[in-house]
Amino acid sequence: MLAQAAGPSGKIDCIAPANPGGGWDFTCRSVGQVLSETGAIDGSVQTTNMPGASGGVAFSHVVTKRAGQNDVIVSASTSTTTRLAQHQFPGLNADMVNWAGTVGADYGVIAVSKDSPYQDLESLLDAMEEKPSSVSFAGGSASGGWDHLKVLMMARADGIEPLNKIKYLPFDGGGEAMTQVVGGHIDAFSGDASETLGFVESGDLRVLAVLADGRLPGALSEFPTAKEQGVDVEGINWRGFYLPPKLSDEDVAWWEETLHKVYESPEWKEVMSKNGLIPFDRSGEAFKAYVHQQIADIEEISKEVGLIQ
């Protein structure tokens, strides 16, 4: 009798833990298309939108109802680790799923309007060192969410205290937040690089710092990193997938390898360049270790700023 080959047969279910139109939905649909186009899978990929509790409904569903199923993948990002770090998924933790791999990332940016008195990151931080509440930030995530945390991580790296005096105003998405900054109502924007492209190209927004290890390619290459300016902070919104629990080692390895092939494919490179995604490659044990480290870091800063006990 031949041993069963690893990997699923037939239709794949990609769960996007939110409504259509967001980052998780985009990750499922675009990766699903490349999986089919490249012949990495036999069947097709269907996207199942499962909103609720900022990813908690999907996480719980996969842990309790989909254990052992090798034909399910779930779209995830730094928002997922932020929720896990802040204990927003009651009774659940990162070890209850298999972390498969990433397919790229979006890096955080701090930006101001073209007329802003802050010409560089140093002048912005100088003002905050003197009075933390003197600079207001707008972002597209809730208070305590990823856009807010990027500001707090930058301030913490610069030694600004107390962090809970920093003004952050949440909006329904990055577009609305940038409009407030461009209109001069709020001092600075905290978001992801890909969101800012339109406003940067029109000259309405000026990026003071990219929260990446090195300069970004393309349109954003002229903007300095925070690290170049002496502030050791990185804000990576990775995009990737986790798998249900109780899979065989062979199935987990199959998915790790298959998603990595997607990442390496010319088809995916095109999707990345069109959507402003940046190379970010972690899979298997390295990805799992990265997830745990990120959760620990986010938990620490969330405690420090009083977001969690």
Side-chain angles (χ1 to χ4, degrees):
M1 191 174 126
L2 285 171
Q4 174 74 40
S9 53
K11 191 171 262 186
I12 309 289
D13 189 14
C14 186
I15 297 175
N19 287 319
W24 285 331
D25 182 66
F26 158 79
T27 306
C28 267
R29 288 177 199 279
S30 49
V31 168
Q33 203 174 338
V34 174
L35 280 168
S36 300
E37 271 174 24
T38 56
I41 53 165
D42 291 338
S44 59
V45 180
Q46 66 174 21
T47 296
T48 302
N49 293 95
M50 198 177 287
S54 298
V57 169
F59 201 92
S60 172
H61 168 81
V62 169
V63 168
T64 57
K65 305 267 197 314
R66 309 299 284 270
Q69 296 183 17
N70 69 359
D71 56 356
V72 179
I73 58 176
V74 191
S75 174
S77 67
T78 301
S79 293
T80 314
T81 44
T82 300
R83 295 294 161 201
L84 286 163
Q86 294 172 348
H87 315 297
Q88 297 284 328
F89 302 168
L92 303 169
N93 65 58
D95 288 325
M96 292 178 173
V97 297
N98 286 292
W99 297 90
T102 59
V103 289
D106 223 349
Y107 282 103
V109 293
I110 303 295
V112 294
S113 76
K114 62 173 191 278
D115 308 320
S116 170
Y118 303 113
Q119 289 300 311
D120 50 29
L121 185 63
E122 190 181 4
S123 59
L124 182 93
L125 291 172
D126 283 349
M128 291 172 72
E129 282 165 24
E130 209 165 298
K131 191 181 176 195
S133 63
S134 63
V135 179
S136 55
F137 291 86
S141 73
S143 266
W146 183 230
D147 288 338
H148 187 188
L149 278 178
K150 284 182 287 209
V151 176
L152 298 174
M153 282 157 52
M154 176 184 71
R156 184 176 69 159
D158 190 58
I160 290 165
E161 286 181 344
L163 292 177
N164 61 6
K165 287 279 190 275
I166 293 169
K167 275 190 199 159
Y168 173 83
L169 296 109
F171 289 89
D172 293 327
E176 205 181 308
M178 283 184 282
T179 303
Q180 293 291 318
V181 173
V182 168
H185 309 294
I186 295 172
D187 298 316
F189 170 71
S190 168
D192 287 325
S194 65
E195 297 180 294
T196 63
L197 286 170
F199 281 101
V200 166
E201 280 162 4
S202 68
D204 291 311
L205 207 61
R206 210 155 27 86
V207 175
L208 296 185
V210 177
L211 308 184
D213 207 24
R215 294 222 175 183
L216 302 186
L220 295 166
S221 60
E222 66 192 86
F223 300 112
T225 64
K227 288 186 175 182
E228 271 176 63
Q229 300 172 80
V231 184
D232 188 8
V233 64
E234 239 179 82
I236 298 175
N237 187 15
W238 55 265
R239 302 206 172 278
F241 296 92
Y242 63 84
L243 311 169
K246 299 190 177 153
L247 294 185
S248 70
D249 291 349
E250 290 76 19
D251 280 329
V252 172
W254 186 90
W255 270 115
E256 286 169 5
E257 201 175 306
T258 301
L259 289 169
H260 191 68
K261 278 182 195 156
V262 165
Y263 178 82
E264 295 283 337
S265 71
E267 289 87 343
W268 183 249
K269 299 241 186 310
E270 196 181 322
V271 171
M272 284 176 71
S273 72
K274 267 191 193 148
N275 293 279
L277 286 180
I278 307 301
F280 186 73
D281 184 16
R282 299 274 191 289
S283 63
E285 285 304 313
F287 180 38
K288 187 178 161 185
Y290 178 81
V291 162
H292 279 277
Q293 185 58 54
Q294 193 177 48
I295 287 171
D297 291 346
I298 292 173
E299 184 173 16
E300 186 190 334
I301 191 161
S302 296
K303 281 181 175 161
E304 196 179 311
V305 300
L307 295 170
I308 56 174
Q309 294 303 303

